[in-house]
Amino acid sequence: MLYSEKVLDHFSNPRNVGEIEDADGVGEIGNAKCGDIMKMYLKIENDIVEDVKFETFGCGSAIASSSMATELIKGKPVSEAMNLTNKAVTEALDGLPAYKLHCSVLAEEAIHSALEDYYSKNPEKKPADFDKKAERDSE
Amino acid sequence: MLYSEKVLDHFSNPRNVGEIEDADGVGEIGNAKCGDIMKMYLKIENDIVEDVKFETFGCGSAIASSSMATELIKGKPVSEAMNLTNKAVTEALDGLPAYKLHCSVLAEEAIHSALEDYYSKNPEKKPADFDKKAERDSE
Amino acid sequence: MEKRFVYADNAATTAVSEEVLAAMLPFFREGYGNASSIYKLGRDAQRAVEDARSKVAKALGADPREIFFTSCGSEADNWAIKGTAELMAKKGKKHIITSVFEHHAVLHTTEYLEKHGFEVTYVPVSDKGLIDPADIRNAIREDTALVTIMYANNEIGTIQPIEEIAAICHEKGVLFHTDAVQAVGHVDIDVHSQGIDMLSLSGHKIHAQKGIGALYIRKGITLPNLIHGGGQERGKRAGTENVPAIVGLGVAIEAATRNIAEKNAVITQRRNKLIDGILKLPYTRLNGDRDKRLPGNLNISIEGIEGESLLLMLDLNGICASSGSACTSGSLDPSHVLLSIGLKHEVAHGSMRLSIEEDVTDDDVDYILEVVPKVVTRLREMSPVWEKMMKGEKYE
Amino acid sequence: MEKRFVYADNAATTAVSEEVLAAMLPFFREGYGNASSIYKLGRDAQRAVEDARSKVAKALGADPREIFFTSCGSEADNWAIKGTAELMAKKGKKHIITSVFEHHAVLHTTEYLEKHGFEVTYVPVSDKGLIDPADIRNAIREDTALVTIMYANNEIGTIQPIEEIAAICHEKGVLFHTDAVQAVGHVDIDVHSQGIDMLSLSGHKIHAQKGIGALYIRKGITLPNLIHGGGQERGKRAGTENVPAIVGLGVAIEAATRNIAEKNAVITQRRNKLIDGILKLPYTRLNGDRDKRLPGNLNISIEGIEGESLLLMLDLNGICASSGSACTSGSLDPSHVLLSIGLKHEVAHGSMRLSIEEDVTDDDVDYILEVVPKVVTRLREMSPVWEKMMKGEKYE
Ligand SMILES: Cc1ncc(COP(=O)(O)O)c(C=O)c1O
Ligand SMILES: Cc1ncc(COP(=O)(O)O)c(C=O)c1O
């Protein structure tokens, strides 16, 4: 098991920890039995991710992945957040040990889950291909 | 494998090495195939072992056993030589490794063999119990 | 609060002690002879090995001829169990008894044997982490080849009723092995009077080098080899003797078994202070019996957080600890030991083991008691699980 | 003649080199972390282990993921052979091919397997100590699971036609293992291009610590474990990693495989001087092919004397050497290697092996060439066998 410096940095100083009281979308993924739960809060304005925060119960790479994922989408168009892959998260962290890759997947899924929540409340904004993308992810 | 100091001493400075040209009794025991041959030469006068010499092809403990055995009987009555046991040789050497004990047995046997040779040439001197003893040894 | 370095993971491994290293050093570049060589350099090496063997034997109440050096505790466990299995299978005995919470060196070995025609009974442990000797008695059958029960558990430190179990085994004519890797140096062991047939130990848990261990095999048991080859260890374990490590093990075990009671008194007191201090945190529990445990061991579950992140946070504060978290092991399930005493998965994930020795001072204890709550609070603050718990919601 | 100390038994074991010890030292008392621990002390240890693994891989032309650390060469041999046996038995393949003059770590392992339902073919060696690849080809059957042939013999130093044998095995679809304990560092090895499936090596033959070795296992072969337990070595070999010894092995193999050709040129020249010098003694013979041998090895039979006493005499003169004498091994028969090349027992008893490296200087060579004849003469003078030989009598 070897964590990169980036992972250790995002673990020890996680960015965007916390809750957004009036979030536009909230997603939660994982379960405590397996040792990982991630919760993502999104604040969306004009199709831009104005703010994002997370809460995570999980190992070092789960926390680091959450932190990195929020950094990667904060201030970006929602379309980019939608396209965020676990690969991008892992690369931005300079890699994760093989058996920790699922942590980056959780981060991707938590963001998608939050977006799903957002679109369920704002169906008019939902892009035509969103469901197809969500499906692809769960393959 | 641990040799005592005594063994190493008798190996490196073996006593009574050589041949006695006009020996009264000569005995040889062992074979080269097994890695040990001991040859003992006895000079006997008035039932005393006046001189004894040995030649040995063999390992360190074979040489040390030969040397010690000659020391133990030199100048002693023949009856004592006859009673020399491998145990006495081993003890005088402060012990031998278990799998080297046969070397001390060879020394005992070589002396007995030399005595046998002596008695075969001097049957009148042969004690009544010599054959019995020889038998016991080969048990 | 000034940052300190506190090593509190002695159950994982220990530093080589100064005296052990000093004893080893002459055997790397000067006394490097092969202990099977006949010249002085070799004979001196052999003498050093035999001297160490005597020390190990003395520490266990055994005869030197009953001690065989191995490359680690795992090898000793594998050898004892597979060797006995091979030996007894010839007599038609193909049943083995062990417990559910043994070290993997035992469990993965018995699982291997299950794939090769052996039947294995795994006796349960109580919620306190203790084995009931009656369960062993009930499990013994006509075809039982071996009972193997650990002396002390490596995660929760509970000490098992070894003598009672050994007595039952002998009454029934079954061989008894104990993995004493965690016990040696912390409890008094006398293999002969305790009726132990085989015992595994490992050097690196008692300040010797990693990669050296030993198996005690009671005289009269002719265990088949695990590693065949040269005539080392009286033909029972091949491989050129690791002279420096063996010498070090001799010195280490002598030191570790000296004044056990005195050491334990000091350590137990500090350990108890740690337990009491950490248990002040809400939603925490001590795992394993409080009294029947190794003096330096505490294992506490802390709900709402996950173990690995706790360890990493402690590490950032200079504290080395360990956890039963699945995430530290690369598997998905948390520690089989914690599950065996009845913990739920989500609780087991958030556990922490500290294993201290006398070098952990009172100041260190205070430091740990300052850091742990701070770190736990921080992790709980970012934990959605904790949030739900506080709201009284279920979080499964 | 001034007394010197000349270590000429490097095939038995070597001294840990200065650079190896220097690399190891930080891992005893400072970097003592368990390589599986998650905190920095553990991560640093793991990094050191992986760095060493890369070095071993590089030296062999392998991938780091193909290198598994073991506790010695013997364990590596046992693992490769028993593991392959277990693996292939499932496919009904229960035949193994090896040679009559392998190291006991191989031979006693195949003998063990013979008792457990395997059939083993022992191919002969020529009077020069060389294996004929055609014998391997002829021995291969439908149910052959493994061919295991040593790279270089430990007693007579002969180097075997490994690539040819490997090619035959691959042509026939049979796995090929080689015990390269004596070869590593003395010949150029590239496992991939040479078609080697598994290769054993041992640290203490190349100036690393005793008690550390490695097995190279080609990617794609899923060898069952020999030692079950924790997840070390990617789950293939349990036991807390011996970090200092592993680090030392990395440094040692890097050094040993650097400039092999240059080293060999120097050593071979000195070795040849020794051979020519000692063969001047009457009734002596060189054992093993003169050219296809390890650069530092000479093995000479000296009739009329016994090997152990020769070694002890050399030792008194400060020279460390070894012999194929039965008396040094505790058995009754002399070296199976010397018998395998056709020596009579009585000749084999009187053999001497010198294994030198570049630290044995020209002056040392001269010293050996002064001492050996003196000592041989002395022993022959007290030898009844020699006496008979000189008289032209038979001495059997
Ligand atoms: C050819 C050969 N194989 C295997 C071994 C065994 O190595 P180890 O002593 O590290 O177990 C040796 C040396 O003893 C050897 O020379
Ligand atoms: C109870 C127990 N058994 C066996 C082992 C294995 O010991 P080693 O790492 O020396 O193989 C350990 C430690 O890792 C242990 O705690």
Side-chain angles (χ1 to χ4, degrees), chain B residues 33-35, chain D residues 104 155 324-339 345 348-349:
Chain B
K33 200 176 167 204
C34 295
Chain D
H104 283 139
E155 292 192 28
S325 159
C327 272
T328 61
S329 66
S331 82
L332 286 177
D333 285 329
S335 149
H336 68 287
V337 173
L338 297 179
L339 298 181
H345 278 70
H349 281 298

Side-chain angles (χ1 to χ4, degrees), chain B residues 3 11-12 14 17 19 28 32-35 37 39 41 55-61 63 99-100, chain D residues 304-306 308-309 312-313 316 327 330 332 345-346 349 378-379 381-385 387-388 395:
Chain B
Y3 281 149
F11 166 74
S12 47
V17 179
E19 226 179 314
E28 185 177 304
K33 200 176 167 204
C34 295
I37 296 185
K39 198 165 178 181
Y41 301 85
E55 292 178 323
T56 290
F57 163 89
C59 62
S61 62
I63 290 173
Y99 68 96
K100 295 283 190 180
Chain D
I305 65 171
E306 190 278 336
E308 193 209 79
S309 49
L312 287 170
M313 286 277 177
L316 292 171
C327 272
L332 286 177
H345 278 70
E346 49 274 29
H349 281 298
R378 178 150 183 228
L379 286 170
E381 272 168 11
M382 68 168 91
S383 165
V385 170
E387 196 187 325
K388 282 188 189 165
Y395 60 84

Side-chain angles (χ1 to χ4, degrees), chain D residues 38-53:
Chain D
I38 196 148
Y39 38 77
K40 184 162 189 315
L41 199 66
R43 296 196 305 268
D44 289 348
Q46 201 199 2
R47 203 167 286 120
V49 166
E50 294 313 318
D51 183 48
R53 195 187 310 282

Side-chain angles (χ1 to χ4, degrees), chain C residues 248-300:
Chain C
L249 177 57
V251 172
I253 202 166
E254 204 173 56
T257 53
R258 207 185 286 144
N259 310 327
I260 287 186
E262 271 172 58
K263 267 190 318 192
N264 285 1
V266 179
I267 298 170
T268 306
Q269 195 207 331
R270 293 185 187 146
R271 194 265 325 265
N272 286 343
K273 191 170 171 195
L274 282 171
I275 292 178
D276 295 334
I278 298 171
L279 287 185
K280 281 188 192 138
L281 285 164
Y283 295 93
T284 53
R285 58 162 276 169
L286 176 69
N287 295 315
D289 192 272
R290 184 159 174 147
D291 300 316
K292 289 181 186 144
R293 75 190 300 135
L294 293 171
N297 172 289
L298 63 146
N299 187 308
I300 288 178

